[in-house]
Amino acid sequence: MRRIHASSITKTMSACQRQTGPCTLHLQWRKTLDSERTIGPTFTKSAMNKIPPVVGILTKCALLCSTLLLLSNLQVTSTRAHAWLSSLPLALAGGAYAVLQLRLRPGRWTLVKRLLLAASFILWAIDQFLPSGRLAMFIGDAVVSAYVLDLFWIIQEQQQNGIGESKESARLLSLVK
């Protein structure tokens, strides 16, 4: 993309205003500059309207259940009740996140990564009910591996975006100078 310096814009804008009044070139430049300043995903109101109310309900229920889980540690609760209290928030959060991603319809690769994260929460919820043994250990290890993989992807994306953001900031500064 060609660099545009503010001094050349000002000269062109002044010449344009003398001839025609409000300068459309200046308006186009401002619109381009403003759109380039937007970094990261933006959610429009129509995208947010796609989110079904069930996602909000599930996430609030997950928060409530996690609060009950923390409070259950203050009292002696049965092992079975504690298994339900520890499993329910995980399953609700994983289910809500999966529904949200299916409704938002991100790109295929992003959807796969996000559904893997949702599945990890659901698997962790299942693991809460399993007795100690090889299956419970395998599912626990699979969940840990999925979380590590998810964090790996997040770190890579943030490193790429950080490099891109610093280049973008330098480019925007050169446009203004």
Side-chain angles (χ1 to χ4, degrees), residues 58 140 159:
L58 289 175
Q159 284 177 332

Side-chain angles (χ1 to χ4, degrees), residues 82-100:
H82 192 269
W84 275 100
L85 284 174
S86 62
S87 177
L88 207 50
L90 293 167
L92 290 170
Y97 192 65
V99 169
L100 176 65

